[in-house]
Amino acid sequence: MTPEELQAARDTVIPDVIADGLSVLFCGINPGLMSGATGHHFARPGNRFWPVLHLSGFTPRQLKPAEQDELLSYVGITNVVSRATARADEIDAEEFREGGCLLTAKVERLRPTWLAVVGVTAYRTAFGDRKARIGPQEHTIGTTRVWALPNPSGLNAHWTAQTMAEEYARLRLAAESGRG
């Protein structure tokens, strides 16, 4: 990217893919620069969100980032922090906490059944829960249950696409059954 394209990507706010009353609202950490450049969530080619979403049964086929609006038939997407960065570690704890407050207000307004935060470290910081682990959380936002999921970034080498899909499928099954 040229310096101008890089700055434009950093300045772009990726629109949420949201609606009232979704069964699951996925929440990324923040947009990467590729997402900022394209205007699509999880746009970096190495990001495993779209394959994992399909492998876990949330979508009947693997969608492309440019098809993100088709997700509203199934789920929605937002971010803890709206600012695009090259890496999530460019976001400080205060910005995560502020993002957690904004996210809470959004969830209270939209009332999804589940908020799925993709990145347990981001969840811990945004919501002040240092002991959070992958899986359903005790914390709720109104009637919305919260689930921390592994970050689908290619940098998260601890999880394969298959093991992530298994965890995402646990959430899907909980959402479909109406249980926590």
Side-chain angles (χ1 to χ4, degrees):
M1 279 188 206
T2 68
E4 294 79 19
E5 291 170 327
L6 183 61
Q7 188 57 49
R10 289 184 189 278
D11 293 342
T12 299
V13 175
I14 309 302
D16 290 335
V17 178
I18 57 175
D20 287 337
L22 292 167
S23 65
V24 179
L25 176 60
F26 284 93
C27 181
I29 297 171
N30 77 305
L33 294 179
M34 183 67 74
S35 290
T38 64
H40 304 299
H41 293 272
F42 301 103
R44 187 170 188 79
N47 193 293
R48 298 170 291 179
F49 178 77
W50 300 102
V52 167
L53 208 60
H54 172 61
L55 288 170
S56 64
F58 272 104
T59 60
R61 66 178 178 85
Q62 184 175 321
L63 299 175
K64 297 179 176 100
E67 298 173 307
Q68 68 185 18
D69 290 338
E70 292 181 34
L71 274 181
L72 285 177
S73 300
Y74 315 103
V75 297
I77 304 177
T78 190
N79 288 295
V80 176
V81 174
S82 61
R83 181 172 65 90
T85 62
R87 295 175 49 105
D89 61 9
E90 294 177 39
I91 301 167
D92 65 25
E94 181 57 34
E95 194 171 5
F96 271 122
R97 285 189 292 274
E98 181 181 325
C101 290
L102 295 170
L103 178 59
T104 295
K106 189 180 298 183
V107 168
E108 287 172 342
R109 186 178 85 252
L110 296 170
R111 298 181 317 261
T113 304
W114 286 95
L115 172 67
V117 181
V118 295
V120 70
T121 302
Y123 172 79
R124 288 175 185 150
T125 306
F127 292 98
D129 184 355
R130 291 183 290 174
K131 297 182 182 199
R133 300 285 180 253
I134 296 294
Q137 306 300 306
E138 291 298 319
H139 173 79
T140 61
I141 301 172
T143 59
T144 299
R145 296 288 315 273
V146 180
W147 197 295
L149 289 168
N151 184 338
S153 166
L155 298 175
N156 185 4
H158 299 298
W159 291 80
T160 66
Q162 187 56 48
T163 58
M164 276 190 277
E166 291 166 8
E167 186 62 32
Y168 282 54
R170 284 184 55 217
L171 168 61
R172 181 184 55 78
L173 292 171
E176 288 174 354
S177 72
R179 66 177 167 77

